[in-house]
């Protein structure tokens, strides 16, 4: 029996997989049976040495990694492909969106972007007195939320809210807090000028309950990506109406280890070469997707003008900054000033190199890729996500914020630093609101926190429930495919050892 047949038969009989998970695993086996896009020997060697990683996207890219359809246009015009007229009521709009989600491709097999739901749905709601009542709105959105979780059981499915206040955003925060699901993942865009404190307070209470939402500095993001952007999957910010063809990442620590040279030679010679090799792999994958598969010529989203190839870019990911700094002999990143400053210097240098490297079919971002602090995968071991401070050594809150914030301006496609709070934080949400505002004022682009004891763990950008991870340990099964990835990350990256920060008091910082 060939190795391929052995793998197929093992998948067919795997008792831990649902039917849908089995189909997806079989599809990946088929894709990987073909040869990957051709790259140079140097690029192959860098992959073999673990310097460059293709994120397991598969050998033959036939769909973009992340797709952000223009749901507003679809709701306004209707869809010939879906055979649905433009909706006129809230129920019709929710049904339209659920039908549309089923046809949105991504690397996970599920849609990674559900749209800016409050903006999309607010026109169908009206006032509580003359439109949909609060009770009816919560009931409708509860059914909608449950259907998303039950039909798209993957925690990379992601919805956006904010920055403005409204009935839908408040209802969805209430519903999410009540249901305590890992799906959908949530981002709240925050604009200091338009997002009121009491809306932020509602969001903080929801995060205390179930680990969501994640918070984005909306003015900073709009300055880099324009008004039409979305946050998808794991802290990935991308043009709306487009997305990302691919995401390939560079292990900066492996680059240092592989080269075995001093700081200056590595910065001046090795890092540019490894950036170029990473870009070579990205370009090969993009050309396969665009030129060989013709995805953007025939997919229904493109034919109906809901995505456009010139709204797509590519994501250049990096990770292992903390370990790279230590290998270069400068000290402990996040704790010692020279080491932290070197981390900032490396991120800034990566941004310069990526911006200067042409990338095919990336007109949406000036013909180059977007830099992204990749937040890790389940198989990472002994290396820290993006530019985070290593798990178990996170400094006190204010020190932590000031150590990582300077990186954020260089990373338009998203960067994450996770703060873990003790459970009493929920008794003083206003202090967390002050922390969020302070972190954004300090220059942070993305802010995420989780809370000990609420049953949820923020993994990379997605969440798992602790009981689902325990279920995998017990019988090897999970309804959410992402729970398997979360279980691996919790073990390999020691996520339970994140330093727990005291609940902020007073001005939000202590």
């Amino acid at each position: 029996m060939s190795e391929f047949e052995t793998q197929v038969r093992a998948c067919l009989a795997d008792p831990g997989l649902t039917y849908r998970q089995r189909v997806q695993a079989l599809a990946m086996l088929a894709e990987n049976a073909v040869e990957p896009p051709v790259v140079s020997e140097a690029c192959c060697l860098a992959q073999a040495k673990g310097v460059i990683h293709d994120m397991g996207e598969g050998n033959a890219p036939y769909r973009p990694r992340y797709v952000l359809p223009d749901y507003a246009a679809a709701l306004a015009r209707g869809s010939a492909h879906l055979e649905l007229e433009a909706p006129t009521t809230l129920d019709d709009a929710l049904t339209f969106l659920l039908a549309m989600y089923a046809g949105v491709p991504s690397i996970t097999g599920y849609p990674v972007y559900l749209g800016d739901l409050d903006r999309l749905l607010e026109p169908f709601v009206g006032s509580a007195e003359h439109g949909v009542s609060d009770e009816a709105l919560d009931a409708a959105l509860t059914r909608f939320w449950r259907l998303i979780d039950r039909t798209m059981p993957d925690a990379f499915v992601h919805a956006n809210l904010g920055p403005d206040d409204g009935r839908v955003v408040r209802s969805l925060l209430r519903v999410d807090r009540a249901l305590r699901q890992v799906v959908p993942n949530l981002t709240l865009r925050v604009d200091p000028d338009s997002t009121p404190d009491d809306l932020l307070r509602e969001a903080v209470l929801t995060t205390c309950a179930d680990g969501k939402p994640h918070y984005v500095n909306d003015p900073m993001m709009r300055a880099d990506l324009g008004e039409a952007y979305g946050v998808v999957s794991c802290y990935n910010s991308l043009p709306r109406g487009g997305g990302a063809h691919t995401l390939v990442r560079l292990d900066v620590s492996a680059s240092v280890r592989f080269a075995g040279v001093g700081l200056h030679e590595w910065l001046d010679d090795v890092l540019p070469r490894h950036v170029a090799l990473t870009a070579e792999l990205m370009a090969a994958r993009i050309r396969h997707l665009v030129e060989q598969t013709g995805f953007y010529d025939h997919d229904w989203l493109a034919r109906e003008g809901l995505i456009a190839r010139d709204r797509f870019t590519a994501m250049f990911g990096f990770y292992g900054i903390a370990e790279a700094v230590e290998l270069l002999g400068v000290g402990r990143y996040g704790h010692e000033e020279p080491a932290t400053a070197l981390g900032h210097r490396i991120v800034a240098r990566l941004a310069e190199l990526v911006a200067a490297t042409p990338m095919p079919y990336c007109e949406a971002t000036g013909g180059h890729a977007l830099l992204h602090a990749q937040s890790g995968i389940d198989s990472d071991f002994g290396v820290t996500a993006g530019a985070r401070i290593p798990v178990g050594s996170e400094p006190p809150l204010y020190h932590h914020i000031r150590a990582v914030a300077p990186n954020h301006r260089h990373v338009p496609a998203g960067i994450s630093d996770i703060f873990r709070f003790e459970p009493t934080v929920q008794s003083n949400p206003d202090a967390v609101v002050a922390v969020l505002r302070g972190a954004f004022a300090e220059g942070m682009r993305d802010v995420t926190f989780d809370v000990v004891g609420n049953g949820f763990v923020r993994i990379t950008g997605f969440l798992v429930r602790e009981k689902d991870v325990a279920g995998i340990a017990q019988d090897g099964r999970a309804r959410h495919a992402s729970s398997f990835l979360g279980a691996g990350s919790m073990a390999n990256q020691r996520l339970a050892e994140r330093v727990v920060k005291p609940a902020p008091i007073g001005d939000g910082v202590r």
Side-chain angles (χ1 to χ4, degrees):
M1 185 182 299
S2 69
E3 181 181 355
F4 176 73
E5 185 173 350
T6 300
Q7 292 174 332
V8 169
R9 291 196 175 280
C11 181
L12 293 173
D14 189 335
L17 299 180
T18 65
Y19 164 74
R20 181 68 182 260
Q21 291 163 359
R22 204 167 299 187
V23 169
Q24 290 176 320
L26 289 169
M28 183 56 75
L29 284 171
E31 181 180 352
N32 287 339
V34 304
E35 291 295 320
V38 176
V39 293
S40 67
E41 288 186 17
C43 187
C44 291
L45 178 61
Q47 291 182 74
K49 294 291 184 181
V51 177
I52 301 172
H53 190 255
D54 70 2
M55 299 288 294
E57 287 185 349
N59 281 1
Y62 61 93
R63 70 296 196 207
R65 183 178 182 90
Y66 301 129
V67 177
L68 288 75
D70 186 343
Y71 292 109
L75 287 172
R77 302 195 299 247
S79 169
H81 176 80
L82 297 174
E83 300 182 55
L84 290 174
E85 301 290 333
T88 57
T89 67
L90 177 63
D91 285 344
D92 285 349
L94 296 175
T95 300
F96 188 106
L97 288 173
L98 287 169
M100 191 169 171
Y101 296 153
V104 176
S106 81
I107 192 67
T108 66
Y110 296 102
V112 294
Y113 176 65
L114 302 182
D116 308 330
L117 286 179
D118 51 340
R119 291 179 180 176
L120 293 172
L121 298 176
E122 201 72 35
F124 299 97
V125 171
S127 68
E129 294 76 21
H130 304 291
V132 180
S133 68
D134 286 340
E135 294 74 16
L137 180 59
D138 283 5
L141 293 179
T142 295
R143 291 191 294 273
F144 181 61
W145 231 229
R146 282 182 170 140
L147 271 172
I148 289 172
D149 176 74
R150 305 309 191 268
T151 59
M152 294 169 263
D154 187 279
F156 301 105
V157 173
H158 199 133
N160 289 192
L161 301 172
D164 300 323
D165 204 352
R167 296 186 62 211
V168 173
V169 60
R170 287 182 180 261
S171 176
L172 283 174
L173 290 172
R174 286 195 299 270
V175 166
D176 199 72
R177 198 159 64 224
L179 294 182
R180 291 169 49 81
Q181 302 172 168
V182 294
V183 181
N185 202 347
L186 271 179
T187 284
L188 179 69
R189 289 182 289 209
V190 179
D191 185 333
D193 294 330
S194 63
T195 308
D197 277 353
D198 62 340
L199 176 60
L200 265 178
R201 188 177 189 278
E202 285 296 303
V204 167
L205 289 172
T206 306
T207 309
C208 290
D210 65 13
K212 298 177 285 177
H214 156 70
Y215 301 83
V216 160
N217 186 333
D218 185 59
M220 192 176 189
M221 205 63 81
R222 284 188 279 113
D224 285 334
L225 298 182
E227 294 287 336
Y229 79 92
V231 182
V232 312
S233 190
C234 289
Y235 314 118
N236 307 313
S237 298
L238 294 163
R240 191 168 63 234
H245 304 293
T246 185
L247 164 58
V248 175
R249 62 179 190 161
L250 170 65
D251 182 346
V252 184
S253 65
S255 169
V256 172
R257 190 179 301 109
F258 180 54
V261 299
L263 171 61
H264 296 294
E265 185 176 352
W266 179 77
L267 273 175
D268 295 340
D269 180 34
V270 177
L271 183 60
R273 280 195 286 115
H274 284 161
V275 167
L277 292 173
T278 307
E280 178 188 341
L281 179 59
M282 296 171 72
R285 297 185 63 79
I286 293 170
R287 287 197 173 94
H288 184 279
L289 173 66
V290 176
E291 299 170 3
Q292 301 298 314
T293 72
F295 173 86
Y296 300 104
D297 299 324
H298 59 66
D299 187 81
W300 76 277
L301 292 168
R303 287 189 282 105
E304 296 200 2
L306 304 176
I307 60 171
R309 188 190 55 70
D310 62 7
R311 291 288 298 161
F312 277 77
T313 185
M315 298 174 68
F316 187 111
F318 70 87
Y319 64 117
I321 291 292
E323 288 75 20
V325 168
E326 191 157 347
L327 285 167
L328 289 165
V330 183
R332 293 178 70 207
Y333 172 75
H335 294 272
E336 300 170 40
E337 181 53 35
T340 304
L342 177 57
H344 299 163
R345 184 180 173 189
I346 294 171
V347 174
R349 180 65 174 144
L350 280 166
E352 290 174 357
L353 293 167
V354 170
T357 303
M359 191 62 63
Y361 303 111
C362 288
E363 296 93 332
T365 52
H368 59 78
L370 292 179
L371 190 63
H372 172 64
Q374 204 281 318
S375 49
I377 61 175
D378 60 317
S379 59
D380 290 344
F381 187 81
V383 60
T384 301
R388 292 181 192 169
I389 297 171
V391 167
S393 70
E394 297 95 333
L397 180 60
Y398 192 49
H399 181 162
H400 195 162
I401 291 172
R402 296 188 71 178
V404 299
N407 292 319
H408 284 223
R409 66 178 179 273
H410 299 297
V411 192
I415 179 170
S416 59
D417 295 282
I418 299 173
F419 309 122
R420 173 165 292 174
F421 287 124
E422 62 185 16
T424 55
V425 71
Q426 62 185 329
S427 65
N428 190 9
D430 292 329
V432 182
V433 171
V435 168
L436 290 168
R437 293 200 180 280
F440 288 143
E442 195 70 25
M444 291 192 71
R445 180 186 299 274
D446 298 90
V447 179
T448 303
F449 71 92
D450 66 4
V451 179
V452 173
N454 66 2
F456 291 78
V457 177
R458 179 69 70 167
I459 300 298
T460 54
F462 68 101
L463 293 147
V464 296
R465 291 183 297 198
E466 291 173 333
K467 68 179 183 181
D468 294 334
V469 174
I472 291 173
Q474 184 175 2
D475 61 18
R477 297 189 179 92
R479 181 167 63 82
H480 300 91
S482 48
S483 296
F484 293 103
L485 303 177
S489 292
M490 288 188 69
N492 289 337
Q493 295 154 31
R494 305 179 292 106
L495 299 185
E497 298 177 27
R498 280 184 185 137
V499 173
V500 179
K501 300 183 189 309
I505 58 173
D507 60 0
V509 176
R510 77 178 192 188

